[in-house]
Amino acid sequence: MPSRKIAIVSVYDKTGLLDLAKGLNQQNVRILASGGTAKLIRESGFPVEDVSAITNAPEMLAGRVKTLHPAVHAGILARDLASDEKDLAEQNINKVDYVICNLYPFKDTVAKVNVTIPEAVEEIDIGGVTLIRAAAKNHSRVTILSDPNDYAEFLKELDAGEITEASRKRYALKAFEHTADYDTAISDFFRKRYAGEGKQYIGLRYGANPHQKPAAAFVSGGDLPFKVLCGSPGYINLLDALNAWPLVRELKRALGLPAAASFKHVSPAGAAIGIPLTDEEKKVYFVNDIEGIDSSPLAQAYARARGADRMSSFGDMIALSDKVDVPTASIISKEVSDGVIAPSYEPAALEILKKKKGGKYLVLQIEPYWDPSKVETRSVYGITLQQHRNDARIAPDIFETVITPKDAGPLPVDALRDLTVATLAVKYTQSNSVCYASRGQVIGLGAGQQSRIHCTRLAGDKADNWWLRFHPRVLGIKWKKGTKRPDKSNAIDLLVSGELPKFGPEREAFEAVFEEVPQAFSEEERSEWLGKLDNVAVSSDAFFPFIDNVFRASRSGAKYIAAPGGSQNDSAVFATAEKLGITFVEQNIRLFHH
């Protein structure tokens, strides 16, 4: 067998090709090339042979078949094994040492306006992909160059006498990435045309903002796990729905009751399980007129989830763990909401929802037993990030490590329930996050703050507002006839938050919704009423770095706190909790969510 090295060159991008040919010839490398590559090298005066010199077969089918031949691929795939040497000798085939190849510009072609399928098909490279993949597979012996930017370094090593193993590995990785990216572009193009809208691929109205078009949702294998029963989803709708659904599914699994979540901007405004509502709660949550709510735990769950923070829930994406019934749909029909995701719908409930927003209300049906891949991948600013999906199990039995008080017995059932609700909520809340829970529901949540104390304060302020809505003064409000639910929510929020305007147009707008304008709360009244809030469970997605968090939680009735340890101030945090009569539970799992 000859000792002269062989290179096969077949490139669409001719950048640096002539410098490469010159360097290969200086090292006495035999160059075999195809089509336009051979033509350019030959016209530039460098020695080159057509691939047909070893295949003994002409290019066929208008150039679509050039390098697809055993003489080419056996030469590339042969290893330094006696059995391979024997096969090559019997067929009079020489080993190939270097493959230089890049592919037809499929991406550029399909980026053109109104590109046709035949035009796209013409740019699907077959021989080139096969050359690259074969050489990359055998990179322990063969050097594969798919990026013209690597030619100079390759020639430098070739001139030194050897292509290093490290370089061959690096070039092989680039080659695999090149073909993978190429295949992804092809599958993306045909998915949009062949997959069937709503099956494997669905077009979205736009991305996070109206100018971000086009936008789509798809899976690379099988079918999408949801169906669109009504409306047209947007990018943020799906971000909310696909974070809210696992939250309610996990709540149902952990606590055995129907669960609901109200999501806004990829964080829950509220989440709850289906516990019967008192007459006061029905009034506070604006559901005292919902027929059948007493017999629908799902409706009770959504009433609590929506009622936790009505201001934040305005225009929410709803997730429901169970088949949607008429009482639940009746609540949704009265609220300003963007959409709902649930495993199924009663026919009558679906008809109610389809009438909302003039027939454009988004209704998604999720496959309840679908489990996503264990690996999550996203692209940010052109960089791909990957991680194991956060499948940490949250349930009442994880809250066993009581730090303080040291002589505490088992936690009460209600405390375990509320710690589970709060901890699952922060699992699906943009970090940093802190959640207050009571009565099987979120009552205050601080999301996405850079400082943990700001999360704790924000969540505590919301919990205070939630509790003040149960004050007799609020329950006794006399509304003007025809006042809409959002206007009621806004007025109540101004009243209970202490942000009540004293004069001017804002004060006039506030007073305009009442038959009798309620009196503002004095500081003494607020303090006296908030002092009655008790048995609140608080969960944090990471450790409390300072004792100020414990003091703030205590002011909003915290009786139980669950958080990971790991702070240098853990001992001070635990001591402060004990001093304030708070049971501190270490739950051992950090739950950042981004």
Side-chain angles (χ1 to χ4, degrees):
M1 302 292 284
S3 59
R4 190 181 181 193
K5 301 286 188 179
I6 294 177
I8 291 181
V9 186
S10 179
V11 295
Y12 180 88
D13 182 353
K14 306 297 194 294
T15 303
L17 175 61
L18 298 183
D19 288 337
L20 177 73
K22 178 180 178 181
L24 290 172
N25 275 286
Q26 287 175 343
Q27 298 302 319
N28 196 33
V29 175
R30 181 186 181 190
I31 302 177
L32 300 170
S34 63
T37 303
K39 183 174 183 290
L40 181 59
I41 295 174
R42 187 174 291 116
E43 289 177 348
S44 299
F46 297 112
V48 63
E49 299 174 65
D50 291 328
V51 171
S52 59
I54 62 171
T55 64
N56 294 313
E59 294 186 7
M60 301 171 62
L61 306 179
R64 294 196 297 278
V65 177
K66 293 176 282 193
T67 59
L68 297 170
H69 194 278
V72 172
H73 290 285
I76 295 172
L77 290 166
R79 295 169 178 162
D80 294 326
L81 303 173
S83 58
D84 285 8
E85 299 284 2
K86 179 176 178 293
D87 287 344
L88 293 180
E90 289 177 352
Q91 300 297 325
N92 194 28
I93 295 173
N94 295 325
K95 286 181 178 177
V96 174
D97 303 280
Y98 315 113
V99 173
I100 299 91
C101 185
N102 54 59
L103 305 172
Y104 298 164
F106 185 86
K107 281 186 176 180
D108 294 343
T109 298
V110 299
K112 296 175 183 176
V113 178
N114 298 324
V115 64
T116 66
I117 289 178
E119 288 172 332
V121 166
E122 198 61 30
E123 297 301 326
I124 298 176
D125 201 316
I126 303 300
V129 172
T130 310
L131 282 175
I132 292 172
R133 195 178 298 278
K137 176 178 179 175
N138 201 24
H139 67 271
S140 61
R141 185 185 65 80
V142 178
T143 301
I144 169 65
L145 295 174
S146 59
D147 182 356
N149 290 320
D150 292 326
Y151 293 171
E153 181 184 12
F154 164 76
L155 291 174
K156 184 177 180 181
E157 286 196 349
L158 189 65
D159 185 55
E162 179 185 16
I163 307 303
T164 65
E165 181 182 10
S167 293
R168 289 198 309 275
K169 289 179 178 178
R170 186 169 68 255
Y171 299 150
L173 174 59
K174 272 195 174 185
F176 285 129
E177 290 174 336
H178 187 41
T179 57
D181 181 64
Y182 196 73
D183 286 341
T184 297
I186 294 170
S187 61
D188 283 348
F189 176 81
F190 284 101
R191 184 185 296 112
K192 294 172 184 176
R193 287 153 180 82
Y194 292 168
E197 181 74 11
K199 292 290 187 180
Q200 188 183 1
Y201 168 93
I202 185 171
L204 305 178
R205 296 196 309 275
Y206 47 77
N209 298 288
H211 66 276
Q212 291 177 265
K213 298 178 180 178
F218 61 87
V219 288
S220 55
D223 292 340
L224 287 166
F226 63 84
K227 294 187 293 186
V228 179
L229 303 184
C230 185
S232 176
Y235 184 86
I236 293 177
N237 291 149
L238 288 186
L239 284 179
D240 282 338
L242 298 176
N243 276 277
W245 165 250
L247 170 55
V248 299
R249 185 171 77 160
E250 290 186 43
L251 276 172
K252 173 72 178 289
R253 288 179 176 177
L255 298 172
L257 290 170
S262 170
F263 252 68
K264 284 286 296 293
H265 297 294
V266 205
S267 285
I273 54 174
I275 297 174
L277 298 161
T278 66
D279 289 341
E280 284 186 339
E281 287 172 330
K282 290 177 188 176
K283 193 168 184 180
V284 167
Y285 301 152
F286 294 177
V287 294
N288 51 324
D289 60 343
I290 300 298
E291 186 176 348
I293 194 168
D294 290 331
S295 59
S296 172
L298 187 67
Q300 295 160 6
Y302 181 59
R304 291 182 179 280
R306 175 80 185 203
D309 182 359
R310 291 189 56 83
M311 298 291 287
S312 296
S313 286
F314 185 86
D316 62 350
M317 190 71 199
I318 302 162
L320 301 165
S321 66
D322 290 47
K323 177 184 282 190
V324 179
D325 55 19
V326 169
T328 307
S330 297
I331 300 174
I332 297 171
S333 71
K334 296 175 180 292
E335 303 289 5
V336 177
S337 171
D338 281 353
V340 58
I341 185 169
S344 59
Y345 299 81
E346 291 181 357
L350 183 58
E351 286 306 308
I352 292 172
L353 297 173
K354 283 185 173 182
K355 293 176 183 176
K356 191 172 174 64
K357 296 179 72 172
K360 295 182 180 180
Y361 186 66
L362 179 61
V363 181
L364 302 177
Q365 182 174 343
I366 184 80
E367 167 54 54
Y369 302 109
W370 186 78
D371 281 313
S373 167
K374 293 292 185 183
V375 177
E376 291 180 331
T377 303
R378 69 166 69 178
S379 175
V380 179
Y381 203 60
I383 306 300
T384 299
L385 305 177
Q386 194 173 81
Q387 66 173 355
H388 185 91
R389 185 168 59 88
N390 185 1
D391 55 6
R393 174 180 168 274
I394 307 299
D397 60 12
I398 74 166
F399 303 104
E400 296 178 341
T401 309
V402 177
I403 302 298
T404 185
K406 297 179 177 58
D407 57 351
L411 270 61
V413 172
D414 286 358
L416 293 170
R417 176 199 65 197
D418 293 341
L419 286 173
T420 301
V421 170
T423 304
L424 274 171
V426 297
K427 181 182 177 183
Y428 290 98
T429 299
Q430 298 298 293
S431 298
N432 288 323
S433 61
V434 173
C435 181
Y436 294 52
S438 180
R439 307 185 193 182
Q441 68 175 84
V442 169
I443 62 170
L445 195 147
Q449 303 301 304
Q450 290 74 25
S451 168
R452 187 152 306 275
I453 184 57
H454 291 151
C455 295
T456 308
R457 289 172 182 166
L458 177 58
D461 290 347
K462 289 186 176 185
D464 291 349
N465 289 350
W466 169 83
W467 179 236
L468 280 162
R469 284 157 56 198
F470 288 87
H471 192 282
R473 184 175 303 166
V474 180
L475 292 174
I477 285 176
K478 292 181 173 58
W479 302 102
K480 278 189 178 178
K481 187 175 181 180
T483 302
K484 296 180 180 180
R485 296 163 80 90
D487 293 329
K488 291 180 180 180
S489 297
N490 291 340
I492 290 173
D493 187 71
L494 286 172
L495 179 63
V496 302
S497 66
E499 298 292 331
L500 190 62
K502 295 182 179 179
F503 50 81
E506 189 178 7
R507 177 71 188 198
E508 293 171 4
F510 169 77
E511 293 182 351
V513 299
F514 303 106
E515 289 289 349
E516 297 177 14
V517 179
Q519 184 180 351
F521 287 103
S522 67
E523 284 301 316
E524 293 76 14
E525 287 175 320
R526 287 177 61 87
S527 296
E528 188 272 334
W529 184 256
L530 291 176
K532 297 177 181 180
L533 179 57
D534 195 13
N535 291 321
V536 173
V538 176
S539 187
S540 172
D541 63 1
F543 60 68
F544 284 138
F546 300 105
I547 62 175
D548 51 3
N549 293 276
V550 183
F551 283 125
R552 179 61 192 87
S554 177
R555 294 211 311 269
S556 292
K559 184 68 176 295
Y560 308 95
I561 290 178
S567 168
Q568 293 181 343
N569 283 333
D570 273 354
S571 58
V573 168
F574 300 154
T576 302
E578 186 167 27
K579 181 179 179 180
L580 295 172
I582 296 173
T583 299
F584 198 104
V585 183
E586 186 174 35
Q587 54 96 346
N588 294 319
I589 307 169
R590 196 180 79 173
L591 293 170
F592 281 169
H593 184 65
H594 293 277

